Amino acid sequence: YKRYDEESDDFKSVVREVDPNFQSWGLDETSINLLPQILLNRAKRGASLDVLYNLPEFLEEGSNIVADIRAKIKAKTSLTASGGIAVSRSIAKIMSNRNKPNGQFTNVISKWNPTQASECVVGHI
C-alpha cells in the first residue's frame, strides 16, 4: 500500500493547488469547490465577475479547470483521472462516472439560483 499512498499524495497535491480545502473520498477521489478559482481566473483576465448569473459560462470555466487538473495529474503521476462538473457534489460525482476512463462530463441544468454560488460549481475528480 505504500506506493498507492505515494501516488495518492501526488494526486492530492495537484488538487490542493486549486482547492486547499478539498474533500477527500478515499485515496483517489476528491470533490473541490471551483468557485474561488473561477473568480480568480476571471479577475486575472479582467473579465466580468457576474458569471454567477450565467450558468453555462460558469460551468465552462469549471470544466476548463477540471481539465487542467486532470492533465496535471497525468503529468505528475502518469495516471488518468475522470472528472465531473456540476452545481452539487453528489451530481458532480455521478458526472465523473459518465466518461470513464480518462474523460469528464459537465452537467448542464436549465435552472439555477445564483444565490447558491458559495456551494457551486463543484468538480469531482
Side-chain angles (χ1 to χ4, degrees):
Y1 292 107
K2 182 180 179 186
R3 180 74 177 139
Y4 197 70
D5 285 339
E6 291 168 356
E7 293 292 336
S8 177
D9 290 344
D10 287 344
F11 162 80
K12 290 177 182 176
S13 72
V14 172
V15 173
R16 192 172 287 110
E17 292 173 16
V18 173
D19 181 2
N21 301 311
F22 69 91
Q23 289 185 335
S24 178
W25 303 100
L27 294 172
D28 64 352
E29 194 171 356
T30 62
S31 289
I32 58 176
N33 179 359
L34 297 169
L35 177 62
Q37 190 66 47
I38 290 170
L39 296 177
L40 178 65
N41 291 352
R42 293 183 66 78
K44 285 180 181 176
R45 294 192 316 266
S48 171
L49 300 182
D50 70 358
V51 68
L52 303 179
Y53 296 96
N54 185 345
L55 182 60
E57 188 175 327
F58 192 81
L59 289 169
E60 181 180 349
E61 294 263 355
S63 182
N64 293 339
I65 293 166
V66 169
D68 185 52
I69 292 169
R70 292 177 48 247
K72 288 178 180 178
I73 289 168
K74 176 73 170 169
K76 188 167 190 170
T77 68
S78 298
L79 299 172
T80 61
S82 298
I85 301 91
V87 296
S88 76
R89 293 186 192 282
S90 57
I91 296 172
K93 178 171 176 32
I94 293 167
M95 295 303 102
S96 72
N97 289 321
R98 294 286 302 264
N99 285 329
K100 282 193 180 228
N102 197 32
Q104 71 182 49
F105 191 86
T106 302
N107 179 250
V108 179
I109 59 172
S110 60
K111 294 182 181 180
W112 181 61
N113 180 353
T115 62
Q116 299 170 328
S118 64
E119 303 169 9
C120 311
V121 157
V122 176
H124 189 89
I125 302 169

